[in-house]
Amino acid sequence: MTFVSSKLDIFAFCYGRFRHNRGQSSKMKIGIDIRTINKPKSGVGYYVTNLLKEFAEVDYNCQYCLISNEGTEEWASINTPKFQNYVTWISNENHIIGDLWESLYLPFFLKNGGVDVFHGPAFMIPLLQKKKVRMVVTIHDIVAYLMPNTVPLKYAKYMQLLIKLVAMRADKIITPSTSTKNDLMNYLNITDSKIQVIHEGVSTKFKPLSSEKDHSYLQKKFGIKNQYMLFIGNLEPRKNIIRLMLAYDQARDKLNGNWQLVICGKKGWLYKEILETYNKLKRNGDIVLTNYVNEVDLLELYRGADIFAFPTLYEGFGLPPLEAMASGVPVLTSNVSSLPEIVGDAALLVDPTSVDQISQGLVKLALSESLRKNLREKGIRQASKFSWKKTAKETMDAYFSVL
């Protein structure tokens, strides 16, 4: 069955609801917007993907209405009667038409479909009030409020308005960290009881190598030769990549030419200065830009890395350091926002605004095998505290709490 914005599809959906719900009225029906599961996947896309995997495996006595588009049709083929997939041509990236569609049309669709709770896992939920449908939203961060200079100005203003309206409309707000919860309470005056902190998980695919590292694959594909420091994230100002490259450049003499800096991520916004800095600083392939990589290559890059460097300016959660720790890679990251909360004492923390501190941290890790070993062991233990199964269970608790 497809889901598009038309009267015929409303009738088709209502008929589908009648057939599907007969004899199953005791089951809660959950609507989830899964349109972020597109290629290339973003962090939110992985968040939604892992939630669905857990919901598919565990019986919570629920039915799921998945709102998708063409890029997410992989979920239509999952062999479970719990999932119904409805496809719309509206992209989650279309913020004007898409947000109007979500606020004005989607509420009627959800109500007519018998949905009890709707989850917007990427900041957005319908703003039109339909009391029979409870609304849960995940607000991953408030970059638009805290760091508006790191995103396009019009986008920052628009997202400030949307997040405020969504926070007021939602019955429950999920944040991935206590840090983000505190940001919402401080900047938007949201009450404590309305917000539930649910940490994200880390996939079991991320695990340490059981044997010595083999760089032949990475060398052939990316030009990575030996020891390297890895960064993973979009090329955009908030990720602080320019300071990371400057810090690496400053550390070069002390590293004796034995280390490369590998930056892995797709172009985000306001990335031109990052590329300009890269072109000025690169020497003989010692700084490598891989662009976006698939999941197989991502796992290989993590496992092959000797240091994971993630000195970003702000994170609502910070999944890459957690994935690095689970992969047995010692981590250097920032002492701001949610990052200390997530990594605990299992990483080397630095001031992300100080090139000197970042550089000194890189040198300290590179020249001390004992420190890397210590952080590697602590990191594996810290990462083991986070699982998608726990995330899914707590998210389900949030759904039931609003009924």
Side-chain angles (χ1 to χ4, degrees), residues 99-111 118 124-135 162 165-166 168-171:
D99 293 344
L100 288 172
W101 169 86
E102 184 154 17
S103 288
L104 300 178
Y105 172 78
L106 188 56
F108 293 97
F109 176 84
L110 298 173
K111 181 182 177 184
F118 177 76
M124 281 300 298
I125 54 173
L127 297 177
L128 188 65
Q129 189 78 10
K130 286 290 174 186
K131 293 184 178 179
K132 289 187 177 181
V133 182
R134 299 298 183 187
M135 295 291 166
L162 279 183
L165 293 173
V166 164
M168 292 171 58
R169 168 67 182 91
D171 297 292

Side-chain angles (χ1 to χ4, degrees), residues 115-337:
V115 170
D116 300 297
V117 177
F118 177 76
H119 182 191
F123 298 92
M124 281 300 298
I125 54 173
L127 297 177
L128 188 65
Q129 189 78 10
K130 286 290 174 186
K131 293 184 178 179
K132 289 187 177 181
V133 182
R134 299 298 183 187
M135 295 291 166
V136 176
V137 66
T138 301
I139 297 180
H140 297 269
D141 57 58
I142 57 168
V143 172
Y145 282 90
L146 292 173
M147 306 197 72
N149 60 315
T150 65
V151 298
L153 181 60
K154 289 182 180 179
Y155 177 82
K157 294 295 184 183
Y158 184 60
M159 286 305 295
Q160 286 175 9
L161 175 62
L162 279 183
I163 289 174
K164 184 174 183 178
L165 293 173
V166 164
M168 292 171 58
R169 168 67 182 91
D171 297 292
K172 176 72 71 174
I173 299 170
I174 294 171
T175 64
S177 65
T178 302
S179 173
T180 302
K181 175 181 177 177
N182 291 337
D183 289 341
L184 279 172
M185 293 172 64
N186 292 335
Y187 281 82
L188 294 177
N189 201 29
I190 307 298
T191 59
D192 178 275
S193 60
K194 193 173 184 178
I195 306 172
Q196 184 171 341
V197 176
I198 302 177
H199 288 144
E200 295 178 15
V202 61
S203 171
T204 54
K205 294 178 181 178
F206 297 96
K207 51 190 173 185
L209 278 174
S210 56
S211 58
E212 288 189 12
K213 296 176 180 179
D214 179 3
H215 282 75
S216 57
Y217 174 83
L218 296 175
Q219 182 172 358
K220 183 178 179 181
K221 187 155 189 178
F222 301 112
I224 299 171
K225 301 166 188 174
N226 198 357
Q227 290 180 303
Y228 64 93
M229 305 165 177
L230 177 66
F231 170 89
I232 291 176
N234 290 344
L235 305 188
E236 58 186 57
R238 177 169 60 92
K239 299 302 182 178
N240 208 27
I241 299 170
I242 290 176
R243 284 195 182 95
L244 174 59
M245 288 190 287
L246 291 171
Y248 170 80
D249 183 61
Q250 186 172 302
R252 268 191 175 106
D253 291 341
K254 297 178 181 178
L255 299 176
N256 300 319
N258 295 326
W259 292 80
Q260 289 174 286
L261 173 63
V262 178
I263 298 170
C264 173
K266 66 180 180 179
K267 293 175 183 176
W269 38 45
L270 308 178
Y271 61 84
K272 289 185 178 180
E273 190 178 352
I274 296 172
L275 296 183
E276 289 171 358
T277 304
Y278 162 73
N279 288 323
K280 289 177 183 177
L281 297 179
K282 65 177 180 178
R283 299 179 194 168
N284 301 318
D286 58 356
I287 302 180
V288 177
L289 284 181
T290 69
N291 210 328
Y292 182 84
V293 300
N294 60 38
E295 191 170 2
V296 172
D297 288 343
L298 183 67
L299 291 172
E300 290 292 332
L301 285 164
Y302 271 125
R303 290 168 184 164
D306 296 274
I307 295 172
F308 186 74
F310 197 73
T312 65
L313 296 172
Y314 171 78
E315 296 292 326
F317 180 75
L319 189 56
L322 192 59
E323 293 172 341
M325 290 192 296
S327 302
V329 184
V331 170
L332 175 148
T333 192
S334 304
N335 60 3
V336 299
S337 64

